[in-house]
Amino acid sequence: MHVAAAALLALALGAVAARGVAEPRIALAFAGLIALGECVRITLPGDREQAPIGAAGALAYALLGPLRGVPTAHGTLQVVAVTGIGLLLGWLPGLAPHLPGRPYRRPPWADPARRDSAARRLLAVGFAAAVFQPLYNGGLVDRFSPEGPAYGVFLTAVAALAALCDATLAALLRASAKGLRFPAALDDELRSLFGIGSAIVATGMLVSLAAGEVGLWALPLFCTPLLLAQISFRRAAAVRATTGQTIASLARATEVAGYTPHGHARRVADTACALGRELGLGTRELALLEYAALMHDVGQLSLVEPVPDGATALLSCAEQQRIARLGSEVISRTGVPRQVAEQVARLADPCQGPAGGERPVPLAARIIRVANAHDDLLTAARGRGLGEAVGRLEALEVLRLGRGRVYDARVVDALVRVGGQGRG
């Protein structure tokens, strides 16, 4: 995908250099808007890098028809070239920390998330321009009156197709980078379209339509609400960071108090996430799963005497359930999503087949139960002096014996497939 985006940009720059820039003033304005958007980019839930203003500006340029009633003629390749130049200009501030006397920071082009975002935007914007510009420049769009609903419906259809293209490309990149199943990654991206994605598409369309009436003033005028939305997203990110710190503190509390071995919560979380990816969970589900896995032993703080090696999997079912309920009560008061507390509360509930009986046990709870038992069994094997390979085989054999009764059969099978390596 990176190669395709680079080849498309090289072709576009070569074509524009050969024939010149059409409407330079308009091209410069949109390149500046895209560069500004790149400078004020944000990180969305699930570690998604996004530049809403830059993306909306690029889409608006791709869908730009008349400007103050005067037809434009920039074409598809100039849209790609201006978008690429805007992206590169937006990366220039990232070079400042590399000046003499400044601390080192990785340049923007060395950041995989920035490269992925840039490649996606070039290809998605190129797709939108390839659909709209030939029809516009060929006069076919003139059949729609700019004042009538048909023109707006046409723009909406092109913008929706561009959004679907971007979501598909993002899902491909995310599935490759995070080890997710493509359907789960695509579901995540499509869900995100109803958040900031819909605002980007709506702003891009609005700017392209408004520019036909008010000219380039439409750029700052109609991008301001999107800038305010970014500020809200930044505040939400700060809240998420605080939640993450709370979770990390609770996860460490049992280790510091001597109730669980060092690194147990992290190992369980890593194994649980590996199992979740294997079972097709999406990014949001994986994030909640990780939170619950990190805090699954919080209930042990209620015990008078610690369980040997913190191995709750070796306790009776009733005791495991009591610890899980107490942990859930603590977690429910920390402000984390309620699903996390529910997952922890159901950790020790009997697993009677994949559906969990009349009251289904959440899949996340079934995953954490297997991951926790796997680490407890490995710790016990090490305590008896067994080697790592032998300990893993023994742990898997014990889990297989409880397959379908104590432990969910699908989750145990997934653990066998991933080899119990706990890949994060």
Side-chain angles (χ1 to χ4, degrees):
M1 196 176 298
H2 293 171
V3 172
L8 178 62
L9 179 58
L11 174 64
L13 291 173
V16 171
R19 70 187 184 195
V21 180
E23 295 110 8
R25 184 173 63 91
I26 301 173
L28 182 61
F30 277 95
L33 179 64
I34 294 168
L36 174 64
E38 189 69 18
C39 291
V40 295
R41 62 191 300 110
I42 57 175
T43 301
L44 300 178
D47 295 326
R48 290 182 177 87
E49 288 284 336
Q50 184 63 275
I53 292 177
L59 180 62
Y61 193 47
L63 302 180
L64 183 63
L67 186 75
R68 291 184 66 90
V70 178
T72 58
H74 45 274
T76 302
L77 290 179
Q78 183 165 311
V79 170
V80 175
V82 168
T83 300
I85 291 171
L87 287 170
L88 295 175
L89 290 174
W91 286 2
L92 290 179
L95 298 177
H98 298 274
L99 297 176
R102 298 287 188 92
Y104 175 79
R105 268 176 50 188
R106 186 167 55 176
W109 56 82
D111 184 350
R114 298 288 288 271
R115 293 199 305 267
D116 288 350
S117 176
R120 277 173 43 209
R121 197 178 318 167
L122 279 173
L123 293 174
V125 167
F127 173 80
V131 174
F132 177 82
Q133 290 297 324
L135 296 177
Y136 172 76
N137 292 323
L140 296 178
V141 180
D142 293 340
R143 299 177 183 177
F144 305 134
S145 170
E147 292 81 15
Y151 186 69
V153 171
F154 173 67
L155 281 183
T156 301
V158 175
L161 288 174
L164 289 175
C165 175
D166 181 70
T168 302
L169 295 174
L172 287 169
L173 289 168
R174 199 161 188 81
S176 175
K178 301 292 186 180
L180 299 174
R181 299 290 180 88
F182 176 72
L186 181 59
D187 181 66
D188 282 341
E189 297 302 330
L190 292 176
R191 288 175 184 270
S192 73
L193 286 180
F194 295 98
I196 194 70
S198 60
I200 292 171
V201 172
T203 302
M205 290 172 48
L206 186 60
V207 169
S208 67
L209 286 170
E213 298 295 329
V214 301
L216 294 178
W217 283 108
L219 274 65
L221 183 62
F222 292 98
C223 284
T224 299
L226 197 55
L227 179 61
L228 296 177
Q230 282 193 219
I231 296 173
S232 298
F233 272 103
R234 288 186 185 277
R235 290 177 179 172
V239 173
R240 288 196 303 274
T242 302
T243 300
Q245 292 170 359
T246 301
I247 292 169
S249 298
L250 285 173
R252 288 277 298 158
T254 56
E255 296 179 10
V256 173
Y259 283 87
T260 57
H262 177 72
H264 170 73
R266 184 71 263 171
R267 291 192 300 272
V268 171
D270 289 346
T271 301
C273 288
L275 294 174
R277 285 191 289 270
E278 180 66 21
L279 293 170
L281 295 187
T283 304
R284 173 172 169 75
E285 289 80 7
L286 286 172
L288 296 175
L289 174 64
E290 183 178 19
Y291 289 167
L294 285 171
M295 297 188 291
H296 75 280
D297 271 330
V298 168
Q300 289 202 47
L301 294 174
S302 65
L303 300 177
V304 177
E305 293 291 335
V307 178
D309 294 324
T312 52
L314 306 180
L315 296 175
S316 67
C317 233
E319 187 65 7
Q320 289 184 47
Q321 289 177 339
R322 188 182 75 84
I323 292 173
R325 298 290 191 278
L326 290 171
S328 175
E329 291 177 8
V330 173
I331 293 169
S332 64
R333 290 170 171 77
T334 62
V336 302
R338 61 176 178 78
Q339 297 97 316
V340 175
E342 180 185 358
Q343 290 166 8
V344 173
R346 307 293 303 282
L347 283 179
D349 284 7
C351 175
Q352 301 171 353
E358 295 181 358
R359 187 188 177 202
V361 179
L363 177 58
R366 289 178 266 148
I367 290 173
I368 297 170
R369 185 170 192 179
V370 170
N372 178 60
H374 179 258
D375 193 70
D376 285 348
L377 292 167
L378 277 178
T379 301
R382 294 187 192 106
R384 299 199 311 272
L386 295 181
E388 192 69 17
V390 175
R392 288 186 183 279
L393 289 174
E394 182 183 276
L396 288 173
E397 185 59 31
V398 172
L399 292 172
R400 281 197 191 98
L401 292 174
R403 180 182 180 275
R405 297 181 297 103
V406 181
Y407 306 110
D408 184 86
R410 285 177 56 214
V411 180
V412 174
D413 292 343
L415 181 64
V416 173
R417 290 197 297 273
V418 302
Q421 296 300 316
R423 295 189 300 269

